[in-house]
Amino acid sequence: MSYPKRTAALASVAALAGSAVLMAAPAARAEVVNVNYQCKTPIGDKSAVSPIDIKGVKSGSGYKITMSWQKGVSSSPVDLGKGAMNPSATIKLGGADSGTMGVTGPANQATVPANTPIKINDLTGTYTPKKSGKVTFTAGVLTIKALGTTTTCTPTNSPGASLTLDVTAASGSSGGTRSDSGSDSADALPQTGPEDSAIALGTLGGTVLLAGAAGTLWLTRRNQAARVRR
């Protein structure tokens, strides 16, 4: 192959490779967003800013959503022993979907010292698309339950979306309502003609009974013949 032809061929391969890369681009966009939380606590109002990261991974017909805090929020005037704090949060949905979804996580695995920012463990939940399209995920209200008290932290700076997913709703899904493609199992029995399955089974049973009667008659005649020969 001549040099000009080889160069042209390599250029074509590079162009095709570039197209393949564009076609294989991920259908998700994530960015860390600073969220300004205003918290209502048993000892008064507190505020804290924490970068929030939200990730989504395909899981069956839905997505596993993970929400992460890169800095602590709020604090406690007393030590919070292991397992004393239980966090949960909501995530606002936008774009092709609306409303909120909930995420939860484990209690604190180590003691949280008094008067120190409370680090929230990763919270997870499952999102099942109701419609196909681009859906945004934005940090919502954080709730912290500890020692019989409840603290709620609400974003006040209208944070942008931490995650955008290009989702596809399950086949037959319509606004979250389930669509049955079949009927009850009894109605779904195959039809063999004008007679329904119950009659067909009755006919089969009759055939078995007739065969049994014929067998009995044959055995009776055989026994009678044997007596005559004796």
Side-chain angles (χ1 to χ4, degrees):
M1 181 183 295
S2 64
Y3 180 77
K5 290 183 177 180
R6 182 182 303 172
T7 303
L10 290 175
S12 298
V13 171
L16 289 173
S19 298
V21 169
L22 290 175
M23 292 177 64
R29 181 176 62 82
E31 61 179 305
V32 177
V33 175
N34 287 328
V35 177
N36 186 356
Y37 283 105
Q38 294 295 323
C39 301
K40 298 290 185 180
T41 81
I43 58 173
D45 295 350
K46 294 181 178 294
S47 63
V49 176
S50 176
I52 300 296
D53 183 24
I54 301 177
K55 290 184 172 62
V57 179
K58 193 78 172 68
S59 177
S61 59
Y63 295 81
K64 179 182 179 182
I65 304 300
T66 301
M67 187 177 188
S68 303
W69 280 258
Q70 296 188 3
K71 288 184 179 180
V73 297
S74 191
S75 62
S76 170
V78 297
D79 290 353
L80 297 178
K82 179 180 179 181
M85 181 193 70
N86 290 280
S88 62
T90 60
I91 296 176
K92 295 180 180 179
L93 305 175
D97 205 347
S98 60
T100 61
M101 66 165 289
V103 286
T104 59
N108 57 307
Q109 299 173 351
T111 296
V112 178
N115 301 313
T116 60
I118 297 175
K119 177 66 171 69
I120 306 299
N121 291 325
D122 288 355
L123 304 183
T124 61
T126 300
Y127 170 69
T128 302
K130 298 176 183 178
K131 297 180 180 179
S132 299
K134 293 186 182 298
V135 177
T136 60
F137 299 77
T138 304
V141 177
L142 167 66
T143 301
I144 302 172
K145 293 186 177 182
L147 303 179
T149 67
T150 299
T151 294
T152 56
C153 299
T154 304
T156 59
N157 61 330
S158 300
S162 295
L163 173 67
T164 301
L165 282 179
D166 193 353
V167 304
T168 302
S171 177
S173 175
S174 176
T177 58
R178 186 171 64 89
S179 174
D180 291 329
S181 58
S183 56
D184 293 340
S185 57
D187 297 332
L189 290 172
Q191 303 297 314
T192 57
E195 308 295 335
D196 63 19
S197 57
I199 295 177
L201 288 173
T203 303
L204 175 62
T207 303
V208 172
L209 289 175
L210 288 174
T216 302
L217 180 61
W218 179 79
L219 288 174
T220 301
R221 290 181 177 177
R222 180 181 179 187
N223 291 337
Q224 291 174 350
R227 293 195 192 97
V228 172
R229 284 197 296 271
R230 291 174 184 171

